[in-house]
Amino acid sequence: MGMQSFERSLERMVEGVFARGSRSSLRPVELGRRLLREMDDHRSVDVKGRRIVPNEFTFHLSPRDHASLSDIEDALGIELAESAREYARDENYHFMGPVRITLEVDQSLRPGRFDVESRMRESASGGGVGSIIMPSGERISLDKPVLTIGRLPDCDITLSDPNVSRRHTEVRASGNQFVVADLGSTNGTKLNGVRIDGERRLSDGDIVSVGGTHLRFEAL
């Protein structure tokens, strides 16, 4: 996707959120364009030859703009993070950890003006970047070494399904990638519709099925 078409897509996503809740003099799509520039301007190459870009972004806004956007801050952060992931896929960029967006007040800024700070932060899992997408659309970052799925309340993903074992499945870091492993469950775990035995490496877009719940893995 080229820059112009990407910006049109970004504008549709972000301005939809903007139109529902803000009278700020700052258009959210401006934040999105600046975010993409930050990724381009601060990319580097790691020892494996991959192009690494920042994954944490802090936007500094005027008090008025921050107040105007406060009601949609969470939704706007989600939209901007998704835009960063889409752009990274298109440009073959890589993140060291989950994408995080923060909006902060800067008393020195006038309405309509903003600054951004970006940095690269490695995930706590040490396994690079990855997310599990719930059927509801909720994104759960794989930012720790092991994520457990099961019926027990202390699992990272708790599923109230009688076909799910108490501790059914886990997703864990393996080098710079992630694997899914069944934990000896009664009804098994499926990867893209096929029951797995032992552990299997996850690829972007894979579907992990646990009982009647289908979870999508995203590599960015």
Side-chain angles (χ1 to χ4, degrees), residues 189-196 207-209 214:
T189 301
K190 292 182 179 180
L191 179 61
N192 299 324
V194 179
R195 185 163 176 164
I196 64 173
I207 302 297
V208 176
S209 299
H214 307 294

Side-chain angles (χ1 to χ4, degrees), residues 149-155 157 164-169 183 185:
I149 304 168
R151 212 170 63 246
L152 287 177
D154 64 351
C155 288
I157 297 178
V164 173
S165 297
R166 293 188 299 169
R167 296 178 66 84
H168 196 111
T169 306
L183 298 177
S185 66

Side-chain angles (χ1 to χ4, degrees), residues 120-187:
M120 302 176 189
R121 181 184 287 274
E122 188 175 12
S123 66
S125 70
V129 184
S131 300
I132 295 294
I133 312 301
M134 300 293 292
S136 65
E138 178 187 3
R139 177 181 298 271
I140 299 175
S141 294
L142 297 170
D143 53 3
K144 62 182 195 175
V146 179
L147 179 140
T148 57
I149 304 168
R151 212 170 63 246
L152 287 177
D154 64 351
C155 288
D156 298 295
I157 297 178
T158 301
L159 302 176
S160 56
D161 180 342
N163 293 314
V164 173
S165 297
R166 293 188 299 169
R167 296 178 66 84
H168 196 111
T169 306
E170 68 181 22
V171 177
R172 61 174 180 265
S174 177
N176 289 322
Q177 299 177 320
F178 290 91
V179 298
V180 59
D182 186 78
L183 298 177
S185 66
T186 301
N187 294 308

Side-chain angles (χ1 to χ4, degrees), residues 20 72 87 89 92 103 127 136 162 171 175 177 202:
R20 290 196 296 272
I72 61 167
Y87 191 60
R89 292 188 187 97
N92 196 28
L103 306 184
S136 65
V171 177
Q177 299 177 320
L202 289 170

Side-chain angles (χ1 to χ4, degrees), residues 51-141:
R51 296 193 294 174
I52 306 298
V53 293
N55 57 293
E56 293 194 352
F57 304 87
T58 301
F59 288 93
H60 300 276
L61 312 178
S62 72
R64 193 179 89 181
D65 288 334
H66 187 273
S68 297
L69 294 172
S70 61
D71 289 344
I72 61 167
E73 182 172 349
D74 290 343
L76 180 58
I78 291 170
E79 296 286 358
L80 291 171
E82 184 58 33
S83 297
R85 284 187 286 266
E86 289 283 346
Y87 191 60
R89 292 188 187 97
D90 291 339
E91 298 297 317
N92 196 28
Y93 289 159
H94 295 267
F95 300 119
M96 296 177 64
V99 178
R100 303 192 190 282
I101 309 292
T102 305
L103 306 184
E104 294 187 355
V105 173
D106 187 330
Q107 298 288 343
S108 69
L109 290 172
R110 301 193 306 273
R113 303 296 298 272
F114 69 94
D115 290 320
V116 62
E117 292 180 281
S118 63
R119 63 178 174 174
M120 302 176 189
R121 181 184 287 274
E122 188 175 12
S123 66
S125 70
V129 184
S131 300
I132 295 294
I133 312 301
M134 300 293 292
S136 65
E138 178 187 3
R139 177 181 298 271
I140 299 175
S141 294

